[in-house]
């Protein structure tokens, strides 16, 4: 995808779904002019260093971000800080090497209402002090189809009066 592929669509395009071939890199630089995007889905691409360590620009209007089958292992705090200020839905799907919940990145996304980390390789959902304290709008947390075997005490702190849906099915939870 050439850097100027979406030239002329900058003021109009609000939703974009891109699917790759499992070989080519995510074309982040071709997205830099799409400032009106509300929904972005990236499927079947690869990532530098097997994770997201930066977004090339701020997506001020982006409300939904879906990262599907990107062979990703992580998403860094610095990649989202001040870049996704209006994000309401974050979905990381079908990335078996994505093995831990990215607490430091998620804390930065204070407008999130829906988190769906489904069919990844998450094995432990650990207690991390104040992990959800900044997420006062979160109503859905779906961690289904992972390999979670342990839920530590306090791992859902600060979600008491907000969370409406918690998906933990098809994991390896022990009694």
């Amino acid at each position: 995808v050439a850097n100027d592929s979406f030239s002329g669509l900058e003021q109009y395009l609000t939703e974009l779904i891109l699917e790759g071939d499992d070989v080519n890199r995510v074309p982040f630089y071709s997205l830099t002019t799409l400032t009106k995007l509300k929904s972005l889905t990236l499927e079947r691409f690869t990532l530098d260093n097997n994770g997201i360590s930066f977004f090339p620009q701020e997506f001020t209007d982006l409300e939904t971000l879906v990262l599907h089958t990107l062979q990703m292992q992580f998403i860094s705090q610095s990649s989202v800080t001040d870049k996704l200020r209006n994000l309401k839905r974050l979905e990381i799907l079908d990335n078996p090497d994505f093995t831990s919940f990215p607490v430091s990145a998620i804390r930065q996304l204070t407008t999130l209402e829906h988190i769906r980390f489904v069919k990844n390789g998450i094995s432990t959902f650990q207690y991390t002090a104040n992990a959800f304290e900044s997420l006062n709008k979160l109503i859905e947390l779906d961690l289904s189809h992972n390999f979670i075997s342990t839920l530590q005490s306090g791992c859902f702190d600060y979600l008491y009066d907000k969370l409406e849906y918690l998906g933990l099915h098809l994991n390896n939870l022990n009694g």
Side-chain angles (χ1 to χ4, degrees):
V1 180
N3 288 351
D4 62 352
S5 293
F6 303 110
S7 181
L9 300 174
E10 298 89 341
Q11 295 301 313
Y12 310 104
L13 196 62
T14 59
E15 182 173 0
L16 178 62
I17 300 171
L18 287 177
E19 184 170 350
D21 59 3
D22 292 321
V23 175
N24 288 304
R25 301 263 185 237
V26 173
F28 282 123
Y29 287 104
S30 66
L31 308 174
T32 57
T33 60
L34 299 177
T35 58
K36 301 293 184 190
L37 279 182
K38 289 186 183 282
S39 179
L40 175 61
T41 299
L42 300 171
E43 286 186 57
R44 298 185 59 224
F45 288 100
T46 60
L47 296 160
D48 292 330
N49 302 318
N50 296 319
I52 295 180
S53 52
F54 81 101
F55 283 101
Q57 89 280 0
E58 181 180 350
F59 288 101
T60 55
D61 292 341
L62 196 66
E63 295 178 359
T64 300
L65 177 60
V66 179
L67 306 170
H68 189 274
T69 316
L70 298 182
Q71 303 172 32
M72 78 187 280
Q73 296 175 359
F74 68 91
I75 183 167
S76 74
Q77 175 182 341
S78 61
S79 70
V80 299
T81 300
D82 297 327
K83 301 275 180 135
L84 305 169
R85 294 177 192 213
N86 291 308
L87 195 66
K88 294 179 182 176
R89 175 179 291 274
L90 176 61
E91 298 186 16
I92 298 178
L93 311 170
D94 205 10
N95 292 282
D97 294 328
F98 191 79
T99 58
S100 59
F101 191 84
V103 172
S104 61
I106 295 302
R107 281 185 183 146
Q108 305 301 311
L109 303 173
T110 60
T111 55
L112 278 178
E113 297 174 5
H114 307 271
I115 296 174
R116 295 190 65 237
F117 292 174
V118 176
K119 290 183 75 178
N120 294 303
I122 299 172
S123 57
T124 303
F125 196 72
Q126 304 181 42
Y127 169 77
T128 303
N130 309 328
F132 294 109
E133 185 175 17
S134 63
L135 302 181
N136 58 13
K137 297 178 181 169
L138 191 66
I139 57 174
E140 176 188 10
L141 178 60
D142 189 348
L143 301 171
S144 61
H145 296 265
N146 280 285
F147 298 96
I148 299 171
S149 60
T150 304
L151 296 174
Q152 293 184 346
S153 178
C155 64
F156 300 115
D157 282 357
Y158 295 98
L159 295 178
Y160 311 125
D161 59 348
K162 300 165 270 215
L163 201 64
E164 296 174 10
Y165 177 83
L166 177 60
L168 293 168
H169 53 286
L170 295 170
N171 276 290
N172 298 325
L173 291 170
N174 296 318

